[in-house]
Amino acid sequence: MTDPYAALGRQLSAAAERLSAPHGATANGRMRAWLSHRLNAAAVAVVLMIGGGAVAVAATGVLHGTAVKPEVTWSPAVGNGEPVSGSSGRPLLSIPDPSGGLPWGMRAFRTTRGQVCAQVGRLLNGQLGELGLDSAFHDDGRFHVLRSGYGASAGQIECVSVGQTEIVEDPNADRSGVHELPEEFRRHRAIPPRNDLRALAYGVLGPHAVSVTYRTREGLRTVPVRGPDGAFLIVEPAGYIKSFSLVGGTLEGKATASSVEVVPPRDGHDPVMVSAAAFRFGSKLCSQGTGSPIRNRCPLHLVRPPRSWLTPTRSLHVPVHLTLLAQTHATCKAASLRDPCYKGEVEFIAPYAITTAAAEYSISTPTKCKIGGRPAGWSLERNAKRNEVVRTDSLGLFVFTPSCASGELFQVSYRNPTGPSAAAPHESVIVGEVSMSRATYPDGAPIAGQGPRTAK
């Protein structure tokens, strides 16, 4: 694995050696020898300062790189929304790196779509960023600033609806701060050795949170949370948490004015970093989980939302229209589908307004027989007005098969998985559905009884 700081040390040493080449016993030669000695000492000092991390050089500003490019275009009405003005300032937390180098930092911020997000990275001069290490950013050794906002990079960032709690654990996080999935490691680079990985835990536990207790190599440790959202960040060496997962997972709960419900570690499962959390309600202190110094237990009700919140069965029977959009021959061939192949455009009138990411319109595609390709399910992921005409295209391509058309459904649902709230007052419900046999071409001609059409 390329180490940019070792390369820098070699370059400085080479410069010193060039200056120390024999030049006779002249004054110039003696001056060069003196400079050689000074430069060699400087090279050693630089190497000692930066060690295995990017601290000393980065702190001088020499290793600042370009800002991390956003993965998506931010919009106040799409996805998780934009950070609310004034809520995404300087990082709340600064935690030392186990091997030295730049510390880790975290900020928590609210968004225009009712989300609270936790964003983690390496920290330099009050800014979060990612490092050009372990093949990230072509091993440039520079500090790349992370802008506030969801989707800023493939970094450590998670969002939940305001009123939810969240604990994120990644037992094998990259020391660069870049969040790489296992398949991305295998495709682009080898998985770094354990010494170059970190065990991360972070999240938000709500306004009543006081502290979190977590496991270390030496035993349990308890640290306070920070900020109005109960933010916490834990950074430990990788390997002491034995996990079969390379990327960890997320535990979500719910916070109310009088209680907090989190999902504690379960017996018989892989050990986790966070073992307990403590909360304050008025003058009462209590904890959930195991190992907290606060012995008084908070009432615990495991978060099991009613099935109807996740898989609704009641239908509003709103009319849904399906238009088949023919794709080009090249597009069908690239998808290994015979020509013609299609995308499906679904159209319906929204029965409810959507102003928060807590609720959404989604389209599922249940099937009764095998056809060429699959129109994968998808979600609208944006705000919508009540009675707005919504049009949205399928993610997958498919082939129209007359014998299967009546059983191929496009079902539109309104989903509110956290339950009715002030921002999303309606329960989950099926909006309506349409079979592929009732689809039309863009000119309104019905599919049934007609030959296939291809894109021009």
Coordinates of all heavy atoms in Angstrom, one line a residue, residues 211-251:
S211 N -25.5 10.2 28.4 CA -24.2 9.5 28.1 C -24.4 8.2 27.4 O -25.5 7.7 27.3 CB -23.5 9.3 29.4 OG -24.2 8.3 30.2
V212 N -23.3 7.7 26.8 CA -23.3 6.4 26.2 C -22.2 5.6 26.9 O -21.1 6.1 27.3 CB -23.1 6.4 24.7 CG1 -24.3 7.0 24.0 CG2 -21.8 7.1 24.3
T213 N -22.4 4.3 27.0 CA -21.4 3.4 27.6 C -21.0 2.4 26.4 O -21.9 1.9 25.8 CB -21.9 2.6 28.8 OG1 -22.3 3.5 29.8 CG2 -20.9 1.6 29.3
Y214 N -19.7 2.2 26.3 CA -19.2 1.4 25.1 C -18.1 0.5 25.6 O -17.4 0.7 26.6 CB -18.9 2.2 23.9 CG -17.7 3.2 24.1 CD1 -16.4 2.8 23.7 CD2 -17.8 4.4 24.7 CE1 -15.3 3.6 23.9 CE2 -16.8 5.3 24.9 CZ -15.5 4.9 24.5 OH -14.4 5.7 24.6
R215 N -17.9 -0.5 24.8 CA -16.8 -1.5 25.0 C -15.5 -1.1 24.4 O -15.4 -0.6 23.3 CB -17.2 -2.9 24.5 CG -18.4 -3.5 25.1 CD -18.8 -4.8 24.5 NE -19.8 -5.5 25.3 CZ -21.1 -5.3 25.0 NH1 -21.5 -4.5 24.1 NH2 -22.1 -5.9 25.8
T216 N -14.4 -1.3 25.2 CA -13.0 -1.1 24.7 C -12.3 -2.3 24.9 O -12.7 -3.3 25.6 CB -12.4 0.1 25.4 OG1 -12.0 -0.2 26.7 CG2 -13.3 1.4 25.4
R217 N -11.0 -2.4 24.5 CA -10.1 -3.5 24.8 C -9.9 -3.7 26.3 O -9.7 -4.8 26.8 CB -8.8 -3.3 24.1 CG -8.8 -3.4 22.6 CD -7.4 -3.3 22.0 NE -7.4 -3.2 20.6 CZ -7.4 -4.2 19.8 NH1 -7.5 -5.5 20.2 NH2 -7.4 -4.0 18.4
E218 N -10.0 -2.5 27.0 CA -9.7 -2.6 28.5 C -10.9 -2.7 29.3 O -10.9 -2.8 30.5 CB -9.0 -1.3 28.9 CG -7.6 -1.1 28.3 CD -7.5 -0.8 26.8 OE1 -8.5 -0.1 26.4 OE2 -6.6 -1.2 26.1
G219 N -12.1 -2.7 28.7 CA -13.4 -2.8 29.4 C -14.3 -1.7 29.0 O -14.2 -1.0 28.0
L220 N -15.4 -1.5 29.8 CA -16.4 -0.5 29.5 C -15.9 0.9 29.8 O -15.2 1.2 30.8 CB -17.7 -0.8 30.3 CG -18.4 -2.1 30.0 CD1 -19.6 -2.3 30.9 CD2 -18.9 -2.1 28.5
R221 N -16.4 1.9 29.0 CA -16.1 3.3 29.3 C -17.4 4.1 29.0 O -18.2 3.8 28.1 CB -15.0 3.8 28.3 CG -14.6 5.2 28.6 CD -13.6 5.7 27.6 NE -13.2 7.1 27.9 CZ -12.6 7.9 27.0 NH1 -12.3 7.5 25.8 NH2 -12.3 9.2 27.3
T222 N -17.6 5.2 29.8 CA -18.8 6.0 29.6 C -18.4 7.4 29.3 O -17.5 8.0 29.9 CB -19.6 6.0 30.9 OG1 -20.1 4.7 31.2 CG2 -20.9 6.9 30.7
V223 N -19.0 8.0 28.2 CA -18.7 9.4 27.8 C -20.0 10.1 27.7 O -21.1 9.6 27.4 CB -17.9 9.4 26.5 CG1 -16.5 8.8 26.7 CG2 -18.7 8.7 25.4
P224 N -20.0 11.5 27.9 CA -21.2 12.3 27.8 C -21.5 12.5 26.3 O -20.7 12.4 25.4 CB -20.9 13.6 28.4 CG -19.4 13.7 28.3 CD -18.9 12.3 28.4
V225 N -22.8 12.7 26.0 CA -23.2 13.1 24.7 C -23.2 14.7 24.6 O -23.0 15.4 25.6 CB -24.6 12.6 24.3 CG1 -24.7 11.1 24.4 CG2 -25.7 13.3 25.3
R226 N -23.3 15.2 23.3 CA -23.2 16.6 23.1 C -24.3 17.1 22.3 O -24.8 16.4 21.4 CB -21.9 16.9 22.4 CG -20.6 16.6 23.2 CD -20.4 17.6 24.3 NE -20.2 19.0 23.7 CZ -19.0 19.5 23.3 NH1 -17.9 18.7 23.3 NH2 -18.9 20.7 22.8
G227 N -24.7 18.4 22.5 CA -25.7 19.1 21.7 C -27.1 18.7 22.0 O -27.4 17.7 22.7
P228 N -28.1 19.4 21.4 CA -29.5 19.2 21.6 C -30.0 17.9 21.1 O -31.1 17.5 21.4 CB -30.2 20.4 20.9 CG -29.2 20.8 19.9 CD -27.8 20.6 20.5
D229 N -29.3 17.2 20.2 CA -29.7 16.0 19.6 C -29.1 14.8 20.2 O -29.3 13.6 19.8 CB -29.5 15.9 18.1 CG -30.3 17.0 17.3 OD1 -31.5 16.9 17.5 OD2 -29.7 17.8 16.6
G230 N -28.3 15.0 21.3 CA -27.6 13.9 22.0 C -26.6 13.2 21.1 O -26.6 11.9 21.0
A231 N -25.7 13.9 20.5 CA -24.8 13.3 19.6 C -23.6 12.7 20.3 O -23.2 13.2 21.3 CB -24.3 14.4 18.6
F232 N -23.1 11.6 19.7 CA -21.9 11.0 20.3 C -21.0 10.4 19.2 O -21.5 10.1 18.1 CB -22.3 9.9 21.3 CG -22.9 8.6 20.6 CD1 -22.1 7.6 20.3 CD2 -24.3 8.6 20.4 CE1 -22.7 6.4 19.7 CE2 -24.8 7.5 19.8 CZ -24.0 6.4 19.4
L233 N -19.7 10.2 19.5 CA -18.8 9.7 18.5 C -17.8 8.8 19.3 O -17.2 9.3 20.2 CB -18.1 10.8 17.7 CG -16.9 10.3 16.8 CD1 -17.4 9.4 15.7 CD2 -16.3 11.6 16.2
I234 N -17.5 7.6 18.8 CA -16.6 6.7 19.4 C -15.6 6.2 18.3 O -16.1 5.8 17.3 CB -17.2 5.5 20.1 CG1 -18.2 6.0 21.2 CG2 -16.2 4.6 20.7 CD1 -19.2 5.0 21.6
V235 N -14.3 6.3 18.6 CA -13.3 5.8 17.6 C -12.3 4.9 18.4 O -11.7 5.3 19.3 CB -12.5 7.0 17.0 CG1 -11.6 6.4 15.9 CG2 -13.5 8.0 16.4
E236 N -12.2 3.7 17.9 CA -11.4 2.7 18.6 C -10.6 1.9 17.5 O -11.0 1.9 16.3 CB -12.2 1.7 19.4 CG -12.8 2.3 20.7 CD -11.8 2.6 21.7 OE1 -10.9 1.7 22.0 OE2 -11.9 3.7 22.4
P237 N -9.5 1.2 17.9 CA -8.8 0.4 16.9 C -9.8 -0.7 16.4 O -10.6 -1.2 17.1 CB -7.7 -0.2 17.7 CG -7.5 0.7 18.9 CD -8.9 1.2 19.2
A238 N -9.6 -1.1 15.1 CA -10.5 -2.2 14.6 C -10.0 -3.5 15.1 O -8.8 -3.7 15.5 CB -10.4 -2.2 13.1
G239 N -10.9 -4.5 15.2 CA -10.5 -5.9 15.5 C -11.0 -6.4 16.8 O -11.1 -7.6 17.0
Y240 N -11.2 -5.5 17.8 CA -11.6 -6.0 19.1 C -13.0 -6.3 19.2 O -13.5 -7.1 20.0 CB -11.2 -5.0 20.2 CG -12.2 -3.8 20.4 CD1 -13.1 -3.8 21.4 CD2 -12.2 -2.7 19.5 CE1 -14.0 -2.8 21.6 CE2 -13.0 -1.7 19.7 CZ -14.0 -1.7 20.7 OH -14.8 -0.7 20.9
I241 N -13.8 -5.8 18.3 CA -15.2 -6.2 18.2 C -15.3 -7.2 17.1 O -15.0 -7.0 15.9 CB -16.1 -5.0 17.8 CG1 -16.2 -4.0 18.9 CG2 -17.5 -5.4 17.4 CD1 -16.9 -4.5 20.2
K242 N -15.6 -8.5 17.5 CA -15.6 -9.6 16.5 C -17.0 -9.5 15.8 O -18.0 -9.8 16.4 CB -15.5 -10.9 17.2 CG -14.2 -11.0 18.1 CD -12.9 -10.8 17.2 CE -11.7 -10.9 18.0 NZ -10.5 -10.6 17.3
S243 N -17.0 -9.1 14.5 CA -18.2 -9.0 13.7 C -18.0 -9.7 12.4 O -16.9 -9.6 11.8 CB -18.5 -7.5 13.5 OG -19.7 -7.4 12.7
F244 N -19.0 -10.4 11.9 CA -19.0 -11.0 10.6 C -19.2 -10.0 9.5 O -19.0 -10.3 8.3 CB -20.0 -12.1 10.5 CG -19.7 -13.3 11.4 CD1 -20.4 -13.5 12.6 CD2 -18.6 -14.1 11.1 CE1 -20.1 -14.6 13.4 CE2 -18.3 -15.2 12.0 CZ -19.0 -15.4 13.1
S245 N -19.7 -8.8 9.9 CA -20.0 -7.8 8.9 C -18.8 -6.8 8.7 O -18.2 -6.4 9.7 CB -21.2 -7.0 9.3 OG -21.4 -5.9 8.4
L246 N -18.5 -6.5 7.5 CA -17.4 -5.5 7.2 C -17.9 -4.1 7.4 O -17.1 -3.2 7.6 CB -16.9 -5.7 5.8 CG -15.9 -6.8 5.6 CD1 -15.6 -6.9 4.1 CD2 -14.7 -6.7 6.4
V247 N -19.2 -3.9 7.4 CA -19.7 -2.5 7.4 C -20.6 -2.2 8.6 O -21.1 -1.1 8.7 CB -20.5 -2.2 6.1 CG1 -19.6 -2.2 4.9 CG2 -21.6 -3.1 5.8
G248 N -20.9 -3.1 9.4 CA -21.7 -2.8 10.6 C -23.2 -2.6 10.3 O -23.7 -3.2 9.3
G249 N -23.8 -1.8 11.1 CA -25.3 -1.6 10.8 C -25.8 -0.4 11.6 O -25.0 0.3 12.3
T250 N -27.1 -0.3 11.6 CA -27.7 0.9 12.2 C -28.9 0.4 13.1 O -29.7 -0.5 12.7 CB -28.3 1.9 11.2 OG1 -27.2 2.3 10.4 CG2 -29.0 3.0 11.8
L251 N -29.0 0.9 14.3 CA -30.1 0.6 15.2 C -30.9 1.9 15.4 O -30.3 3.0 15.8 CB -29.6 0.1 16.6 CG -28.7 -1.1 16.6 CD1 -28.1 -1.4 18.0 CD2 -29.5 -2.3 16.1

